Amino acid sequence: MKGYKLIGLLTVTAIYFSACQQQTAPRVMPGRPASIGIIGDTADVTTPVKGGVALVGGGGNVDGAFQWMIERSGGGDVVVLTASNNGGYNADIDSLGKVNSVETLNITSRELANNDTVAQIIRNAEMLFIAGGDQSRYMNNWRGTKTGTAINYLLQEKKVPVGGTSAGCAILSGLYYSGEGGSAVSDSVLANPYDSLVTVYNNDFLHAPYLSLVISDQHYVKRHRQGRHVTFMSRIITDHGVFPRGIAPDEKTAVCIDEQGMAKVFGVSKAYFILTDSLKKPELCAKGQPLQWNCNGQALKVYEVPASATGNGSFRVSDFDPAAASGGTWYWWWVENGVLKTKQI
């Protein structure tokens, strides 16, 4: 009898865990173009939301940033966008807080990006997250489509939390680097700011609050991208007459900006906030010649903020006012003959 009881207990336990897995495993639903899986309820819900933007540096998830966005979503419907068949976020997000659903859309063509059902799924979201991959795919497939319009609706009108990691982070700033043709490397583009890989666009795609004058970069310290970021900024000044601002989270690090424009840094590494000055143009930004942006060793003022699991520091992205910054360290950055130099203030 004891053996039968044990077998019965094991059977019941197996059935229970199987049922739990079925409840949390992503499933593909008919009639939802581009969807590669959904967890939770397919019926749309409406929850109270608070706006915000999470700029994530790639290289791994930042749980604190997801939890920050989930809280601001009111537990509504979460939509993840990708163009690289990246379906791994559903379970990750679902495990970090209570939400009605998490669904990933793999939007790989302009046809899918202009599909009315796809656009409506995005518009119904109370939280949106853009996965990593290749930002030129997002630009080429989504810019000027119903998907692009739906994302901007969430950012500007519905005011839900919107985040992106790596490539997804890159396209959330108004000024953005497309990465088309390949990834720019700091040493190469500092030596020639007009290298063919330096492709920067000016507010023709997504329009997140407070980020129209910002260009972001990602994987920052890990991949030594400070030099290329400064080069992008020099090109924006030279080509567009705009003095940009920079936000740059390192890997496994996120800059979370609330609806008032106040930012905190979540994760394990550092993030950088970069200020330009309209009186300090690059001395030389020309094709085939090393970048010169010296200004007596004070070309760019940079605030470095270390991250924490629950969010560290404070920086006012709404106006980049140095007096409102706390929790970090100020530096001067400048470029001499194609070499980036830094000094703590």
Side-chain angles (χ1 to χ4, degrees):
M1 292 294 292
K2 291 181 180 179
Y4 287 113
K5 289 181 180 178
L6 180 58
I7 292 171
L9 178 60
L10 291 172
T11 302
V12 170
T13 303
I15 292 171
Y16 171 77
F17 280 111
S18 176
C20 289
Q21 289 172 349
Q22 288 174 5
Q23 290 174 4
T24 58
R27 60 198 191 280
V28 177
M29 305 297 292
R32 299 176 77 87
S35 180
I36 56 174
I38 184 169
I39 292 175
D41 188 358
T42 57
D44 180 43
V45 298
T46 301
T47 58
V49 296
K50 291 184 288 185
V53 176
L55 301 175
V56 187
N61 290 347
V62 181
D63 289 352
F66 277 139
Q67 290 165 336
W68 181 84
M69 291 201 302
I70 290 169
E71 187 275 329
R72 303 179 84 80
S73 78
D77 295 309
V78 180
V79 173
V80 180
L81 301 183
T82 181
S84 306
N85 204 39
N86 188 344
Y89 283 103
N90 288 21
D92 290 342
I93 294 172
D94 184 64
S95 71
L96 291 170
K98 183 175 175 54
V99 295
N100 185 60
S101 68
V102 189
E103 182 171 18
T104 297
L105 303 179
N106 188 36
I107 307 174
T108 57
S109 68
R110 293 187 69 83
E111 180 182 8
L112 279 172
N114 275 315
N115 182 278
D116 288 331
T117 302
V118 169
Q120 193 59 49
I121 292 171
I122 296 170
R123 295 172 76 90
N124 287 343
E126 280 73 42
M127 170 180 156
L128 185 77
F129 188 74
I130 307 172
D134 178 350
Q135 62 258 40
S136 68
R137 292 186 185 182
Y138 299 155
M139 180 186 75
N140 291 328
N141 291 331
W142 303 354
R143 184 175 58 179
T145 68
K146 293 177 181 178
T147 286
T149 300
I151 298 170
N152 282 323
Y153 164 75
L154 296 182
L155 287 165
Q156 297 180 300
E157 297 181 48
K158 194 172 180 179
K159 299 185 188 303
V160 313
V162 176
T165 186
S166 191
C169 172
I171 61 169
L172 279 173
S173 50
L175 299 158
Y176 66 96
Y177 165 64
S178 70
E180 59 195 282
S183 184
V185 177
S186 288
D187 288 349
S188 298
V189 300
L190 282 168
N192 175 16
Y194 283 82
D195 186 294
S196 62
L197 295 183
V198 180
T199 49
V200 179
Y201 293 82
N202 184 1
N203 284 281
D204 64 357
F205 191 3
L206 301 183
H207 305 292
Y210 309 116
L211 299 185
S212 63
L213 292 177
V214 169
I215 182 166
S216 66
D217 210 347
Q218 311 76 37
H219 304 276
Y220 207 60
V221 177
K222 180 72 172 179
R223 300 186 185 178
H224 309 289
R225 286 183 165 171
Q226 298 93 328
R228 79 170 200 174
H229 198 196
V230 169
T231 303
F232 298 160
M233 298 175 84
S234 75
R235 282 286 304 274
I236 291 166
I237 294 170
T238 304
D239 297 349
H240 299 285
V242 173
F243 283 80
R245 299 158 172 170
I247 298 178
D250 191 24
E251 293 192 351
K252 298 180 182 178
T253 303
V255 174
C256 293
I257 308 163
D258 70 15
E259 73 278 16
Q260 301 299 322
M262 295 302 298
K264 288 185 174 294
V265 182
F266 291 78
V268 301
S269 186
K270 300 172 182 178
Y272 297 81
F273 301 86
I274 306 174
L275 290 74
T276 56
D277 185 331
S278 62
L279 300 178
K280 298 178 179 180
K281 294 181 179 180
E283 289 92 350
L284 179 64
C285 180
K287 184 175 182 179
Q289 300 188 58
L291 178 65
Q292 186 77 5
W293 197 359
N294 193 323
C295 301
N296 297 315
Q298 297 183 356
L300 301 127
K301 195 172 185 180
V302 180
Y303 200 54
E304 176 190 84
V305 180
S308 75
T310 56
N312 180 57
S314 181
F315 193 90
R316 201 160 73 196
V317 174
S318 58
D319 59 8
F320 272 63
D321 182 1
S326 65
T329 304
W330 284 105
Y331 291 84
W332 289 117
W333 288 9
W334 69 98
V335 181
E336 288 184 16
N337 196 35
V339 178
L340 177 66
K341 300 187 177 184
T342 71
K343 180 182 179 181
Q344 185 173 332
I345 297 175

